[in-house]
Amino acid sequence: MKIYKPSVPLRPYVRYYWVLESREAFSVLTFPIGCPQLIFHRGSPLYIPELDCHQSVFTVSGQVNFPAHIQSAGGLEMVVAVFYPHTIGMFTGVSPSNFYNCEVSGHDFEDRQLDDLAARVSDCETTEGCILLIDSFLQSKINPTLNIARIGGAVREMLASPAVSVTALADGACLGKRQFERVFREQVGMNPKEYARIVRFQKSMWLMQSGVCDYAGIACECGYSDQSHFIREFKAMSGSTPKQLKNSGIIYSDLFTNPA
């Protein structure tokens, strides 16, 4: 896998790009990362058994709250843009609540510019050229709104303090609680309490990735009510207990790690 940084104007909105090529078949378990993605397949698309579907050659992958496998039969070449939790709607013109817990074909949006981008990425000779095409397109779509700024601030507060209350987040955004919940769902793709579950899970992964082994301490720092709550929620998000996943050697927090 290769990681690429977005251009400077896009860095408040796009976390990074990644490219993966594989001739061999594989199956990999993935976890909720809290960030939606635009996926361009230049080879054979991935299969998601939990959803019983193949990704489209141009896929929008939304927020999910469950672990899932990604399977390739080989001949894989994919280029992916990973967004911050609250920003993808600015580039697609569609609220991410419309692709919650699912993989949607970008062609379903009936957006001629998106369709043209997908065609140009498919025809591009190099993956580096694909990144430049995607980056240039996304730059042309930058149009930040007050709600993006509001929810961006709320997301940053959640990352810093996963136990923060929805009321406190709404106050910080200068919105009533119900209005805040609606705007948050429109920008992020799920409600604040559900997204907080992903933040807690990802932060616990980051602490374990950093070598922390005290599960009671992790539970406290990540906003779980106690160690039992932490283990129960961790298993719901990953399919394994913290100990089982740590022993597997695949502890990695995407949300709290910047690979670019």
Side-chain angles (χ1 to χ4, degrees), residues 40-170:
F40 300 85
H41 284 289
R42 290 157 51 81
S44 300
L46 294 168
Y47 176 66
I48 316 295
E50 287 79 5
L51 298 174
D52 190 24
C53 74
H54 284 88
Q55 290 181 335
S56 167
V57 293
F58 172 35
T59 291
V60 182
S61 184
Q63 298 283 6
V64 298
N65 61 6
F66 59 90
H69 293 80
I70 56 172
Q71 297 181 350
S72 171
L76 178 75
E77 183 182 353
M78 58 192 298
V79 182
V80 181
V82 180
F83 295 83
Y84 283 97
H86 60 293
T87 59
I88 193 172
M90 180 169 66
F91 301 100
T92 63
V94 177
S95 168
S97 61
N98 289 291
F99 36 91
Y100 166 67
N101 272 351
C102 61
E103 309 280 317
V104 176
S105 171
H107 296 302
D108 290 346
F109 296 166
E110 298 182 351
D111 183 312
R112 191 169 297 176
Q113 290 181 318
L114 283 172
D115 291 345
D116 178 64
L117 172 64
R120 286 187 290 138
V121 169
S122 178
D123 292 340
C124 190
E125 293 185 1
T126 66
T127 52
E128 288 78 9
C130 293
I131 297 296
L132 291 174
L133 285 171
I134 296 166
D135 196 271
S136 178
F137 172 83
L138 295 178
Q139 281 195 58
S140 74
K141 292 290 187 177
I142 294 175
N143 183 28
T145 65
L146 177 58
N147 282 340
I148 287 176
R150 282 170 164 165
I151 301 307
V155 168
R156 288 190 291 273
E157 181 64 23
M158 294 173 80
L159 295 176
S161 179
V164 64
S165 70
V166 175
T167 299
L169 292 172

